[in-house]
Amino acid sequence: MERIVIIPALNPDRGLREIIEKNLELENQVILVDDGSDPEYADFFRELGEICIVLRHKKNRGKGETIKTALRYIKEELWECRLIGIMDADGQHLPEDMERLLMRAAAEPGTLILGTRTIDGNIPWKSRIGNQITRRVFQFTTGIKVSDTQSGLRAFSVGLLDFMLSVDGKRYEYEMNVLVNCARRKIPIVEVPIQTIYHDRDNSCSHFRKIRDSFRIYRQLLKFSAASLSSFVLDYGLFVLLTVLFPAGAAGVAAANVAARAVSGGYNYMVNCRYVFHEKQNVKTALDYLLLAVLILFLNSMFLQMFLHLLHFPVYPAKILTECALFALSWTIQKKMIFRAEKRKNELEEKNSRRREPLPAAGISAFRKRAASSGKGGVC
């Protein structure tokens, strides 16, 4: 089959069968991945294995790993695949909308097609607030505006398969990381409006863990903020100490500011390399960072002098306001221009442990039967 729809599932309800059957009517083959569902769902997955491909994780690995399991299967087995869609198993996505995204992906290869919901009062308030926060965080960190960063309905041509497999993330953070990496690699993101469907006001069917999964989504920005905060504490502490030691007056304040920035800048570079952007320290990034540090230092001194002499702020509050004003600029330049390398891939041992479970014979035969009847051949 040329079009494959991936559906990650964890303890799904019986309505999943209707979603799969509708996709089959639209001539989309389905890969259903059981992400460690409870034992009582085993019979249901066996039933579904008669009409689609079913892959299984013995233990729950998370949505990101579940999607990658299906992508690896497509890469290794379904060589005729040309278009790939991803949709949720909880009924929030309509197969008809999935069809529209696949058609758009066919017309625009090399583009990530994102199904976007209308964020209005019909959406549960927790989801609405969460979406507003994440899209603003996304725009802040990438400079690209996406109206629905949390949508799980996506489609793309097979040319992006390797890219999708290379993106880091095991759970819900994977979907955000895909968007971030698209922005970094200049992969176009096209939004297609879709219907908004929720089962109840609290979205109780979702497996999203609000605190833990939200932390995963925002982790990189939080790490950068922590690095910047610790750098600020170091910088401010040194600044206070040096203003006491250096001669009073504008020259002493300027010298204290330069010396404090030099020490805290070196510390900030090492922390960002190792813990935030996972970039090896090398001559290129060091020189890039040095140029940024010089720019920031120049702007820092200008802002500090402006707060001191034009606005007549006391010296220590002026220093705090200066650092806050330059935080966003520093983040944007480091994210988009200096630390551009992708995150390291998982260790080989971890990759080898992620072996796919064999397909049930019923699932294989059902897929071959449907493929043969459509005239598109069987599994390669």
Side-chain angles (χ1 to χ4, degrees):
M1 299 290 284
E2 294 186 353
R3 307 194 309 181
I4 308 292
V5 174
I6 298 170
I7 303 180
L10 174 63
N11 301 333
D13 61 35
R14 303 295 295 188
L16 176 58
R17 185 181 186 94
E18 182 180 349
I19 294 173
I20 294 174
E21 289 176 342
K22 184 61 179 179
N23 270 292
L24 296 177
E25 291 177 10
L26 295 170
E27 298 187 354
N28 301 326
Q29 177 57 44
V30 174
I31 296 181
L32 175 65
V33 187
D34 172 13
D35 189 26
S37 297
D38 295 338
E40 56 263 31
Y41 291 87
D43 289 340
F44 184 43
F45 280 105
R46 276 193 289 270
E47 292 175 15
L48 297 177
E50 296 291 338
I51 60 174
C52 71
I53 296 174
V54 176
L55 307 178
R56 179 172 176 265
H57 292 165
K58 289 184 178 180
K59 296 182 179 180
N60 178 263
R61 297 184 187 177
K63 190 174 184 180
E65 282 298 310
T66 302
I67 292 172
K68 291 179 187 178
T69 292
L71 292 174
R72 282 192 288 269
Y73 181 79
I74 293 172
K75 182 176 181 178
E76 296 168 7
E77 303 290 346
L78 305 184
W79 302 339
E80 293 183 354
C81 176
R82 294 293 177 266
L83 300 171
I84 301 171
I86 303 172
M87 67 185 302
D88 293 341
D90 55 11
Q92 291 189 24
H93 300 149
L94 296 178
E96 292 83 359
D97 283 332
M98 182 79 267
E99 178 73 5
R100 294 172 59 228
L101 266 65
L102 288 169
M103 292 177 65
R104 188 68 177 267
E108 300 187 44
T111 299
L112 177 68
I113 311 300
L114 184 65
T116 56
R117 303 158 294 180
T118 301
I119 309 301
D120 56 21
N122 294 322
I123 292 182
W125 68 270
K126 287 180 285 188
S127 298
R128 188 166 66 252
I129 293 175
N131 199 294
Q132 291 174 350
I133 293 173
T134 53
R135 68 182 180 183
R136 283 172 172 76
V137 170
F138 179 77
Q139 185 173 4
F140 173 72
T141 56
T142 67
I144 295 177
K145 185 176 181 179
V146 173
S147 60
D148 188 4
T149 57
Q150 295 180 328
S151 173
L153 189 66
R154 304 176 179 198
F156 49 91
S157 59
V158 74
L160 291 181
L161 193 152
D162 286 335
F163 160 73
M164 297 291 287
L165 281 170
S166 73
V167 176
D168 192 23
K170 296 182 178 181
R171 297 187 179 275
Y172 284 99
E173 77 276 12
Y174 172 76
E175 293 176 316
M176 175 63 81
N177 290 348
V178 166
L179 298 180
V180 171
N181 279 274
C182 279
R184 294 174 65 184
R185 292 198 186 186
K186 309 301 182 183
I187 295 173
I189 301 174
V190 172
E191 298 183 87
V192 174
I194 61 174
Q195 295 191 47
T196 304
I197 301 174
Y198 282 96
H199 295 286
D200 52 56
R201 297 293 298 176
D202 294 323
N203 194 22
S204 58
C205 62
S206 174
H207 296 287
F208 185 84
R209 298 168 298 184
K210 297 176 180 61
I211 296 177
R212 187 182 304 180
D213 290 323
S214 294
F215 172 76
R216 288 177 178 271
I217 290 173
Y218 302 126
R219 181 165 51 187
Q220 191 179 50
L221 182 61
L222 289 171
K223 286 193 295 184
F224 178 83
S225 299
S228 297
L229 178 61
S230 61
S231 298
F232 165 74
V233 171
L234 176 62
D235 179 61
Y236 190 75
L238 287 173
F239 177 77
V240 172
L241 176 63
L242 293 175
T243 53
V244 174
L245 298 178
F246 287 1
V253 171
N257 188 50
V258 171
R261 290 294 304 178
V263 175
S264 64
Y267 163 81
N268 185 256
Y269 169 72
M270 290 186 292
V271 170
N272 279 331
C273 273
R274 184 168 183 177
Y275 297 108
V276 180
F277 298 104
H278 300 286
E279 177 76 54
K280 291 182 179 179
Q281 298 178 35
N282 54 53
V283 175
K284 184 181 184 307
T285 57
L287 289 176
D288 288 344
Y289 190 87
L290 179 60
L291 290 175
L292 171 64
V294 172
L295 172 63
I296 295 296
L297 177 58
F298 174 73
L299 295 175
N300 189 287
S301 299
M302 286 186 58
F303 277 51
L304 182 59
Q305 295 302 319
M306 179 187 71
F307 285 126
L308 286 173
H309 301 296
L310 294 181
L311 301 179
H312 305 292
F313 278 77
V315 61
Y316 298 136
K319 175 66 173 174
I320 294 176
L321 290 173
T322 298
E323 298 301 328
C324 292
L326 294 175
F327 171 82
L329 176 64
S330 178
W331 158 260
T332 302
I333 293 177
Q334 289 183 63
K335 177 72 176 178
K336 301 185 72 173
M337 298 179 63
I338 297 179
F339 300 104
R340 291 173 294 187
E342 296 178 29
K343 293 182 179 180
R344 295 186 181 96
K345 295 182 180 179
N346 295 327
E347 296 181 355
L348 180 62
E349 293 80 5
E350 185 178 355
K351 288 183 179 179
N352 290 335
S353 68
R354 300 173 184 169
R355 296 300 183 187
R356 185 180 64 255
E357 297 287 324
L359 274 177
I364 297 175
S365 61
F367 170 64
R368 287 176 173 164
K369 182 177 179 181
R370 292 191 60 84
S373 65
S374 67
K376 296 183 179 180
V379 179
C380 297

